[in-house]
Amino acid sequence: QCPWGAPNTTSISCSLADVMSEQLAKELQLEEENAAFPEVVAVAEGPFITGENIDTSSDLMLAQMLQMEFDREYDAQLRREEKKINGDSKVSISFENYRKVHPYDSDSSEDEVDWQDTRHDPYRADKPTTTPRRGFIGKGKDITTKHDEVVCGRKNTARMENFAPEFQVGDGIGMDLKLSNQVFNALKQHAYSEERRSARLHEKKEHSTAEKAVDPKTRLLLYKMVNAGMLETITGCISTGKESVVFHAYGGNATEDKVIPPECAIKVFKTTLNEFKNRDKYIKDDYRFKDRFSKLNPRKIIRMWAEKEMHNLTRMQNAGIPCPQVVILKKHVLVMSFIGQDQVPAPKLKDVTLSSEDMKKAYCQILNMMQQLYKECNLVHADLSEYNMLWHDGKVWLIDVSQSVEPTHPHGLEFLFRDCRNVSQFFQKGGVAEALNERELFNAVSGLNITADNEVDFQAEIEALEKMNEDHVQNHGKKLSMFSSDGDPPIYDE
């Protein structure tokens, strides 16, 4: 026989009736199902259904067997979903937490790998291998030293992980980033600068009293006052300014040497130095604080500012001028009596609507208080306006005297003239016909009787008097006595 010849095939002939037979079609379909799903057939024909080798008399056993079969089918469905969703992706998801396999049946999870339990993550980039201590690897033409551009760049990328945690460096190793020495040094310097800057900001926040003026140190001072029984409770903030914040509090138990009013006002001077740097002229030339003033320690200036207001209020209180009563001073916290009632502060003169009689009465009171302040207290308010005068119980009260200075201050008369201008303009706009202009009010308060036809000459004479006083202090180290009431030059106190 020829090996390349066509094989003899015997074809089985069948009739058309056999082809169209339904019985034959069912047999062929059954054979295909048995070939495609052998396990199902085995399970269907197994002992689980027939019960030949298993005791199925117990309902509990039957329930456990049915539940086990359902859980296996459910877990197989989860695995198919995982494979469908993940595909060939390196980042995969797992439905391990949703599986229902019982603890004694772990066959379904044998092929699963939990990467969280492995010590090596195959998707994490390895750190670059460093050169050995000798400084080079390889031999001959394949030698690589520690100065190699690629090796050095990868090493710099790995060293970025030593930066501060708040400095985000990204996944440079995973991206195989190669940083030159110049770029790495610049990033390193920037990271250190940012770390120092954040430390300074934190320190500034801890040692300053921005916003509501309650930093940890101020809070501790207030707690000590409450614990000592000096204050019963602190209710809240009643006034906020650029330099200080005022809180309302109920007074505590009175002591032997202190009489604490029922309601108190706590004035907290802000320890942020922005506002006080430009206001040192009120305190550096004041002889009471001149020896203690120093720009090298600006935080002491704020305590001196609070102490200055305490001394000025004490002078005014001794002279009988309506003003808050000083209770105690603790560093930059000043406790005074509250001008108002039931946590409601007395309104400022600019916010209250007075009748013509009350306006005239208020003007007379202010004129009298300015004269008392100048002659009896030897002070000039230096910031007197309708914003620093309260209307309570039918009379005017003066507040905010921390910037007040003596008339012998190098700018004392200028401050007095500014106060007179503010008071005169306010009451003239308020319809008080008896209100004097600023020059007449200045002479009425100070008694200097400066005769000048216009404001420019008037201020020139004021500056001449201040210069005379300053020269005398520098030459003799003594203050001027109270300016004489007549028009003669000032008399020196020798």
Side-chain angles (χ1 to χ4, degrees):
Q1 295 182 355
C2 181
W4 292 280
N8 296 326
T9 57
T10 58
S11 60
I12 301 174
S13 61
C14 61
S15 63
L16 180 62
D18 294 338
V19 175
M20 301 299 295
S21 174
E22 294 183 0
Q23 182 66 28
L24 181 60
K26 289 182 179 179
E27 291 177 357
L28 293 174
Q29 182 179 1
L30 185 59
E31 291 178 1
E32 292 178 357
E33 289 179 355
N34 293 335
F37 308 103
E39 297 181 0
V40 176
V41 176
V43 171
E45 296 177 355
F48 174 73
I49 301 298
T50 59
E52 295 177 357
N53 301 324
I54 300 176
D55 183 12
T56 58
S57 60
S58 173
D59 294 339
L60 177 61
M61 179 63 67
L62 287 174
Q64 289 180 347
M65 293 172 67
L66 290 173
Q67 184 64 42
M68 180 67 69
E69 189 66 24
F70 174 79
D71 290 346
R72 285 176 177 173
E73 294 178 0
Y74 182 78
D75 293 342
Q77 178 67 22
L78 285 181
R79 285 194 295 273
R80 287 193 294 268
E81 290 292 332
E82 285 183 6
K83 186 175 181 181
K84 179 180 178 181
I85 293 175
N86 294 332
D88 298 332
S89 176
K90 291 185 178 180
V91 180
S92 61
I93 64 173
S94 175
F95 295 152
E96 186 70 28
N97 295 334
Y98 299 96
R99 292 177 182 170
K100 296 185 177 181
V101 175
H102 292 268
Y104 51 80
D105 181 46
S106 59
D107 297 338
S108 60
S109 60
E110 288 180 355
D111 56 343
E112 295 296 323
V113 178
D114 188 3
W115 294 114
Q116 297 178 354
D117 297 337
T118 59
R119 295 188 177 183
H120 177 67
D121 188 354
Y123 303 123
R124 181 169 181 177
D126 295 329
K127 288 188 178 181
T129 57
T130 58
T131 55
R133 183 175 296 181
R134 60 191 179 186
F136 66 93
I137 56 176
K139 294 181 179 180
K141 295 186 297 182
D142 299 330
I143 189 171
T144 302
T145 66
K146 63 180 181 179
H147 303 290
D148 183 73
E149 184 178 358
V150 176
V151 174
C152 190
R154 288 174 177 169
K155 188 186 299 183
N156 290 337
T157 303
R159 290 166 61 189
M160 283 199 306
E161 294 184 355
N162 298 328
F163 290 171
E166 59 269 11
F167 191 79
Q168 303 295 334
V169 297
D171 187 15
I173 298 177
M175 295 184 294
D176 195 17
L177 193 64
K178 305 176 186 65
L179 295 180
S180 63
N181 291 337
Q182 184 179 3
V183 175
F184 173 77
N185 291 334
L187 289 175
K188 181 180 177 181
Q189 186 65 32
H190 178 68
Y192 289 166
S193 300
E194 287 295 317
E195 187 178 4
R196 290 194 298 269
R197 178 176 173 272
S198 61
R200 287 196 303 269
L201 291 177
H202 177 73
E203 181 181 4
K204 183 178 180 181
K205 182 179 179 181
E206 288 294 322
H207 293 84
S208 64
T209 53
E211 297 297 331
K212 295 302 180 181
V214 181
D215 61 337
K217 292 185 178 180
T218 305
R219 192 180 300 114
L220 181 60
L221 289 176
L222 297 179
Y223 284 159
K224 288 183 178 180
M225 292 181 185
V226 175
N227 293 335
M230 184 177 302
L231 300 176
E232 181 180 350
T233 181
I234 301 173
T235 57
C237 178
I238 58 177
S239 177
T240 304
K242 295 184 296 183
E243 303 167 356
S244 62
V245 176
V246 182
F247 297 91
H248 176 272
Y250 286 104
N253 301 324
T255 59
E256 296 180 358
D257 54 344
K258 288 187 178 63
V259 178
I260 302 177
E263 291 185 273
C264 298
I266 305 174
K267 188 170 184 179
V268 180
F269 288 85
K270 293 181 179 180
T271 55
T272 49
L273 309 175
N274 299 332
E275 294 298 332
F276 292 95
K277 285 182 178 179
N278 300 326
R279 307 202 68 185
D280 55 358
K281 61 181 180 180
Y282 292 95
I283 194 171
K284 70 177 182 179
D285 293 324
D286 195 327
Y287 79 96
R288 296 174 293 177
F289 304 95
K290 190 172 184 179
D291 296 336
R292 296 164 52 192
F293 178 80
S294 173
K295 280 191 175 182
L296 298 179
N297 193 348
R299 300 192 183 278
K300 289 187 177 180
I301 300 177
I302 299 165
R303 296 186 185 181
M304 292 166 60
W305 199 268
E307 183 182 347
K308 192 164 184 267
E309 179 156 9
M310 180 195 68
H311 290 311
N312 293 339
L313 286 175
T314 304
R315 284 195 190 184
M316 295 168 60
Q317 184 181 351
N318 295 334
I321 298 176
C323 65
Q325 176 186 356
V326 177
V327 178
I328 193 172
L329 172 67
K330 288 289 186 180
K331 295 184 179 180
H332 60 284
V333 178
L334 179 63
V335 182
M336 305 171 290
S337 60
F338 180 69
I339 309 300
Q341 190 174 5
D342 297 334
Q343 301 186 32
V344 180
K348 297 177 182 178
L349 207 58
K350 74 177 186 67
D351 298 328
V352 67
T353 303
L354 301 178
S355 61
S356 58
E357 282 294 325
D358 288 338
M359 283 291 288
K360 182 178 179 181
K361 179 182 177 182
Y363 176 75
C364 295
Q365 290 178 2
I366 291 174
L367 178 58
N368 186 27
M369 284 190 294
M370 292 179 69
Q371 292 175 343
Q372 281 185 287
L373 195 65
Y374 186 87
K375 296 178 180 178
E376 298 181 22
C377 302
N378 196 26
L379 286 175
V380 174
H381 191 283
D383 193 19
L384 188 61
S385 65
E386 61 272 18
Y387 294 87
N388 292 329
M389 294 183 286
L390 305 181
W391 181 259
H392 182 62
D393 289 341
K395 59 182 179 180
V396 180
W397 297 68
L398 295 183
I399 60 171
D400 194 9
V401 293
S402 56
Q403 72 287 329
S404 299
V405 297
E406 293 193 348
T408 54
H409 189 275
H411 304 283
L413 297 181
E414 295 180 20
F415 297 153
L416 178 61
F417 185 74
R418 187 177 60 189
D419 292 346
C420 294
R421 181 191 293 116
N422 295 335
V423 172
S424 178
Q425 290 179 356
F426 174 74
F427 284 100
Q428 285 178 355
K429 292 179 181 179
V432 179
E434 293 82 359
L436 304 174
N437 59 37
E438 55 266 23
R439 285 173 286 173
E440 295 173 347
L441 183 60
F442 179 87
N443 288 330
V445 172
S446 63
L448 293 177
N449 296 328
I450 298 178
T451 57
D453 298 334
N454 52 52
E455 183 175 343
V456 177
D457 295 340
F458 197 90
Q459 290 184 349
E461 293 192 26
I462 291 177
E463 293 177 1
L465 289 174
E466 291 178 341
K467 186 66 169 64
M468 188 184 305
N469 181 32
E470 186 177 1
D471 293 342
H472 178 77
V473 171
Q474 292 179 358
N475 295 331
H476 302 277
K478 296 181 180 180
K479 298 187 303 173
L480 283 173
S481 65
M482 294 298 295
F483 294 119
S484 58
S485 58
D486 52 9
D488 297 335
I491 301 176
Y492 299 119
D493 185 9
E494 298 292 349

